[in-house]
Amino acid sequence: MRRLLDMSFAELGEYMAELGQPRYRTGQVMRWLCRGADISEMTDLPLSLRQRLSEECETGLPVVAEKLVSQRDGTIKLLFALSDGQLVESVVMDYEHGKTVCVSSQAGCRMGCRFCASTLGGLARNLSAGEILGQVIVAQREIGARIGGVVIMGIGEPFDNYDNVVKFVRLVSAPEGLNIGCRHISISTCGMVDGIRKLAREELPVTLSVSLHSAINSVRSELMPINKKWSVEELLSACREYFDITGRRISFEYILIAGVNDKVSDAAALAAAMDEYMNGVPAHVNLIPCNPVKERGFKPPGRDEIIRFKAVLERKGINVTIRRKLGSDINASCGQLRASARSAT
Ligand code: SAH
């Protein structure tokens, strides 16, 4: 089966030509796909074409298996079933500048970060570009409003599925498709340096977001196995290179875990690393009190420790914010819903 959502506008055009269809069919099919319609619902196509498409293709749109709406802030979490039954999650958040969807790039993850629910069952498989795109389209259909931004920060490590993720960025930003500009797209990585270096050369002006979580190698290696492959220094050099090539500001995520990476000395190490590698780079540090992980006894620090950590960074002139917690009543952090659905079956 071919997957329609995996095709660019040009590829869809070639396919329509193969089927002996006039050129305007490409736009018709693309418009239906962007609205989240199934092949049978594409009512302005001749019945014979719909039948042919149904025989040869699937759309790649995921099916909503569960929908949770936060009573606190309106954040919506969607659990999606892909065509082979694999489950992934998306979260739709209301930001000041509009609706943003957080999408998954893999079913499961093999990075092994100690604090993360997505990695518990390992990696099941990569998502295709169209399966990532399908999450944006169905989320938009579900909320009945335009989605203006995408963060690839759901389940999976985007650079462990590099080609499909880059293809997805090209599809979702295409003017004939959803037309979400690269400036409104962020890719978050746990620190795969090869991916950062490659992305810098794609000429896609997306925002790079890096899950740092510690600037001390021994601490970071304990939390994130990837650090044993690429150290903090190698990671930050690659970030520096990303900025030098793209001119795009870099965003660093730092989850705060009580007693693990929240001390004044941790903040000082982070400030020193920023000073050394990000000097003159418009970088931003996002502090995120971690979601508790029962299995490991990880808890977020208290308010005072968080403020203290932030103050150390601010004194060094670092641009820092404490991330607003959205959707905390609906398990909105990556992998939590998929993990509970998996253990329930
Ligand atoms: N693999 C990519 C993107 C997916 S994870 C990455 O690592 O960046 C998305 C973000 O959620 C990352 O910053 C990750 O570190 C964070 N995260 C994972 N588990 C968390 C938890 N228990 N509490 C808070 N943030 C968590």
Side-chain angles (χ1 to χ4, degrees):
M1 282 283 208
R2 302 174 75 165
R3 202 177 277 136
L4 291 172
L5 281 176
D6 279 335
M7 297 181 197
S8 66
F9 193 73
E11 286 163 346
L12 189 61
E14 281 165 31
Y15 181 41
M16 288 299 128
E18 249 172 65
L19 297 179
Q21 294 294 322
R23 285 174 73 118
Y24 63 85
R25 291 278 182 245
T26 315
Q28 283 178 311
V29 174
M30 191 57 107
R31 276 191 294 279
W32 283 115
L33 287 172
C34 289
R35 272 188 251 161
D38 223 342
I39 295 168
S40 62
E41 296 168 325
M42 301 183 178
T43 45
D44 58 1
L45 306 183
L47 189 58
S48 57
L49 176 59
R50 271 180 273 160
Q51 273 164 350
R52 179 83 185 263
L53 289 178
S54 304
E55 283 158 21
E56 294 181 1
C57 314
E58 57 180 25
T59 55
L61 290 165
V63 173
V64 180
E66 203 177 327
K67 179 178 177 176
L68 300 172
V69 182
S70 167
Q71 298 308 308
R72 289 188 199 149
D73 51 44
T75 298
I76 298 171
K77 175 132 188 173
L78 298 164
L79 181 69
F80 284 125
L82 304 176
S83 55
D84 62 350
Q86 281 296 334
L87 298 171
V88 294
E89 300 171 21
S90 302
V91 182
V92 187
M93 297 157 292
D94 228 337
Y95 284 169
E96 307 81 63
H97 47 270
K99 305 270 185 199
T100 293
V101 64
C102 171
V103 294
S104 296
S105 54
Q106 297 179 307
C109 184
R110 56 176 178 164
M111 294 297 122
C113 299
R114 303 277 182 263
F115 44 79
C116 185
S118 297
T119 202
L120 291 173
L123 174 68
R125 68 169 173 88
N126 283 330
L127 265 55
S128 77
E131 286 177 320
I132 309 174
L133 182 64
Q135 298 169 55
V136 184
I137 291 174
V138 176
Q140 189 160 271
R141 194 188 70 199
E142 285 294 310
I143 63 169
R146 182 171 192 274
I147 285 177
V150 176
V151 296
I152 311 175
M153 226 186 245
I155 296 168
E157 165 52 41
F159 292 154
D160 192 35
N161 183 18
Y162 185 91
D163 290 344
N164 290 341
V165 165
V166 165
K167 180 162 189 202
F168 158 71
V169 172
R170 296 194 198 285
L171 292 176
V172 79
S173 59
E176 306 91 352
L178 293 187
N179 198 14
I180 298 176
C182 282
R183 289 188 161 69
H184 305 287
I185 300 174
S186 294
I187 303 184
S188 181
T189 178
C190 65
M192 291 190 70
V193 163
D194 55 350
I196 296 175
R197 295 227 152 95
K198 220 164 146 191
L199 185 69
R201 292 162 176 84
E202 297 281 354
E203 302 201 355
L204 289 172
V206 297
T207 300
L208 177 67
S209 179
V210 174
S211 299
L212 192 55
H213 309 335
S214 176
I216 302 170
N217 277 313
S218 56
V219 177
R220 193 167 192 271
S221 293
E222 269 302 302
L223 291 173
M224 308 174 77
I226 193 76
N227 198 68
K228 294 175 189 152
K229 180 152 187 192
W230 287 292
S231 67
V232 170
E233 292 72 27
E234 287 169 297
L235 173 56
L236 293 178
S237 305
C239 293
R240 171 86 223 189
E241 186 182 323
Y242 188 84
F243 171 77
D244 289 339
I245 295 175
T246 64
R248 300 286 297 158
R249 125 191 131 88
I250 311 228
S251 179
F252 291 96
E253 312 294 310
Y254 193 106
I255 63 172
L256 286 162
I257 309 171
V260 174
N261 65 355
D262 65 337
K263 295 180 284 303
V264 167
S265 54
D266 291 294
L270 175 58
M274 286 294 131
D275 185 48
E276 185 174 351
Y277 292 93
M278 294 295 123
N279 198 357
V281 174
H284 181 260
V285 175
N286 239 321
L287 298 177
I288 309 159
C290 80
N291 285 294
V293 183
K294 260 194 260 96
E295 295 81 356
R296 304 200 176 267
F298 287 171
K299 291 195 200 95
R303 216 187 137 63
D304 290 351
E305 285 78 22
I306 298 174
I307 303 282
R308 185 185 64 188
F309 195 97
K310 181 169 180 247
V312 173
L313 298 178
E314 278 174 337
R315 268 200 302 279
K316 300 280 182 188
I318 292 166
N319 187 342
V320 52
T321 47
I322 299 175
R323 167 89 62 83
R324 233 176 1 129
K325 254 185 142 175
L326 292 172
S328 51
D329 55 331
I330 54 168
N331 275 348
S333 318
C334 63
Q336 292 181 347
L337 198 60
R338 177 176 189 269
S340 60
R342 282 180 70 248
S343 56
T345 52

